[in-house]
């Protein structure tokens, strides 16, 4: 069941989260639900840093994404659509195998969005939030502000820690990529 859901999520860009004993399937591309100022972040137990930012190296990201799918207009034969990033030193190619019937245009959109999201999501964040943000869950999109700049993040996981604090892991998000 999990692998089937992962294939559907790769084609239709949604995330699955367990919340209050129920599985919720949340479509990506929703607007930010809350704005959090950098000054509200809590230093983690072992350091004085309030925010950890990690950026994946360019060489570890895909230069090209190929989507293999069942082509609706070619008698359900296997088809391939690709998206390639032109100006990069990256060499990797990623293949997404989808046992899903798609049109050429739908598969091309999946390839384009998958490649773009790999590059946008290369920046990951870790922080600890105060208890007033305990209602946040994975898949929520938040805005983090610091010194007049705004960063749009999609929560990937959260963990309750001491005194109701919540450790979060998030990735950079561009909601316009899903339009």
């Amino acid at each position: 069941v999990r692998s089937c859901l992962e294939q559907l999520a790769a084609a239709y860009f949604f995330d699955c989260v367990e919340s209050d004993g129920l599985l919720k399937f949340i479509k990506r591309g929703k607007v930010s639900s809350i704005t959090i100022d950098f000054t509200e972040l809590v230093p983690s137990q072992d350091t004085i840093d309030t925010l950890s930012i990690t950026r994946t190296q360019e060489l570890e990201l895909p230069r090209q994404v190929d989507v293999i799918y069942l082509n609706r207009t070619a008698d359900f034969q296997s088809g391939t659509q690709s998206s390639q990033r032109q100006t990069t030193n990256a060499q990797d190619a990623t293949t997404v195998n989808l046992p899903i019937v798609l049109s050429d245009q739908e598969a091309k959109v999946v390839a384009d969005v998958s490649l773009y999201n790999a590059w946008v999501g290369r920046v990951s964040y870790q922080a600890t939030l105060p208890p007033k943000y305990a209602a946040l869950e994975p898949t929520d999109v938040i805005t983090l502000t610091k010194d007049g700049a705004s960063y749009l993040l999609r929560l990937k996981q959260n963990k309750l820690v001491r005194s109701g604090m919540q450790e979060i892991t998030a990735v950079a998000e561009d909601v316009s990529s899903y339009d």
Side-chain angles (χ1 to χ4, degrees):
V1 172
R2 181 184 197 111
S3 66
C4 292
L5 289 175
E6 288 171 348
Q7 290 171 340
L8 288 171
Y12 297 108
F13 306 106
F14 65 85
D15 293 306
C16 179
V17 63
E18 184 269 326
S19 176
D20 297 327
L22 298 173
L23 284 180
K24 293 182 181 177
F25 298 91
I26 310 295
K27 187 121 173 92
R28 290 186 187 173
K30 62 183 182 176
V31 296
S32 176
S33 59
I34 196 161
T35 299
I36 301 172
D37 189 69
F38 180 78
T39 58
E40 294 182 80
L41 300 180
V42 179
S44 55
Q45 257 181 323
D46 47 347
T47 67
I48 58 168
D49 295 333
T50 56
L51 180 65
S52 170
I53 301 173
T54 306
R55 185 176 171 102
T56 303
Q57 293 183 30
E58 184 176 314
L59 293 174
E60 296 175 26
L61 296 167
R63 177 186 185 112
Q64 178 174 327
V65 171
D66 299 317
V67 175
I68 300 172
Y69 62 101
L70 299 175
N71 191 333
R72 177 179 301 137
T73 58
D75 256 352
F76 304 103
Q77 296 298 310
S78 197
T80 302
Q81 288 292 326
S82 299
S83 184
Q84 185 172 5
R85 192 169 171 99
Q86 300 299 322
T87 56
T88 181
N89 292 328
Q91 298 299 318
D92 286 346
T94 301
T95 302
V96 180
N97 286 308
L98 300 175
I100 300 172
V101 177
L102 299 170
S103 69
D104 291 336
Q105 181 59 34
E106 290 169 330
K108 178 66 172 158
V109 168
V110 171
D112 290 342
V113 172
S114 296
L115 180 63
Y116 184 72
N117 281 341
W119 282 81
V120 169
R122 75 190 279 191
V123 181
S124 62
Y125 302 84
Q126 290 183 314
T128 303
L129 301 177
K132 74 178 191 176
Y133 297 112
L136 290 175
E137 8 182 76
T139 73
D140 285 341
V141 176
I142 63 170
T143 303
L144 182 64
T145 60
K146 180 181 182 189
D147 300 329
S150 295
Y151 304 94
L152 198 61
L153 316 176
R154 179 171 37 89
L155 298 186
K156 297 284 282 180
Q157 53 181 186
N158 63 344
K159 180 173 79 170
L160 287 175
V161 291
R162 66 193 190 284
S163 306
M165 303 293 178
Q166 183 175 199
E167 287 180 355
I168 62 162
T169 303
V171 293
E173 178 76 332
D174 181 357
V175 296
S176 67
S177 66
Y178 304 104
D179 293 340

